[in-house]
Amino acid sequence: MDVRTGASLVATTGFIADQLIKATLTGTTTITGVMFRRVANTGVSFGLFQGYNAFFIPVVAAVLVGVWSLRDELGVWPTALILSGGVSNFVDRVVYGHVVDYVDIGFWPVFNVADAMIVVGIAALIVGELRVDGEERNEN
């Protein structure tokens, strides 16, 4: 399996898992100390800017198009993870009028699998850039 196929498989699986959890979660469930409860987030990360879902729909769409257009520069894994999580949360904004968050670990704002994929994708992008910059400095 090549890298693109693997990244696409992970991204698709993450998208489907996130959407299935959101569609089926109705109450509060605790599994091994992690609480799963449905929370409506009309803002962005960490619950900031609540109440602006209509504003964020075109903004998120533009960001997703931008990430897609930069996919060759960003790399396979960061692009796959960021787009998968971003599209999943975008679907929520359009279908539900808010992003559905559901993982509550107590000391952190409630989040979802899509959020985790976006964060891991951005972290991979940053690490990749730091490695490239470090290699370029070492060559000089």
Side-chain angles (χ1 to χ4, degrees):
M1 181 181 322
D2 70 342
V3 173
R4 285 193 190 279
T5 303
S8 295
L9 182 62
V10 167
T12 301
T13 302
F15 174 85
I16 291 169
D18 187 58
Q19 287 296 308
L20 284 174
I21 293 167
K22 290 171 180 177
T24 59
L25 186 65
T26 56
T28 299
T29 305
T30 302
I31 302 171
T32 62
V34 177
M35 186 180 346
F36 293 87
R37 63 185 176 96
R38 190 178 181 94
V39 175
N41 180 359
T42 58
V44 292
S45 300
F46 308 110
L48 299 172
F49 308 111
Q50 289 296 311
Y52 294 98
N53 188 63
F55 169 78
F56 288 121
I57 289 174
V59 171
V60 170
V63 169
L64 291 171
V65 169
V67 170
W68 176 257
S69 67
L70 294 171
R71 65 191 178 279
D72 292 332
E73 290 83 14
L74 298 178
V76 173
W77 281 101
T79 301
L81 293 169
I82 293 167
L83 286 177
S84 180
V87 169
S88 187
N89 282 342
F90 181 78
V91 167
D92 288 5
R93 287 189 187 283
V94 173
V95 172
Y96 302 118
H98 57 267
V99 173
V100 177
D101 289 330
Y102 50 83
V103 180
D104 186 350
I105 55 176
F107 62 90
W108 197 258
V110 180
F111 63 98
N112 59 40
V113 169
D115 296 338
M117 289 189 300
I118 294 167
V119 168
V120 171
I122 291 171
L125 181 64
I126 291 168
V127 168
E129 287 300 311
L130 291 174
R131 288 183 57 199
V132 168
D133 286 348
E135 289 170 6
E136 288 175 359
R137 278 195 297 272
N138 288 338
E139 290 175 4
N140 294 330

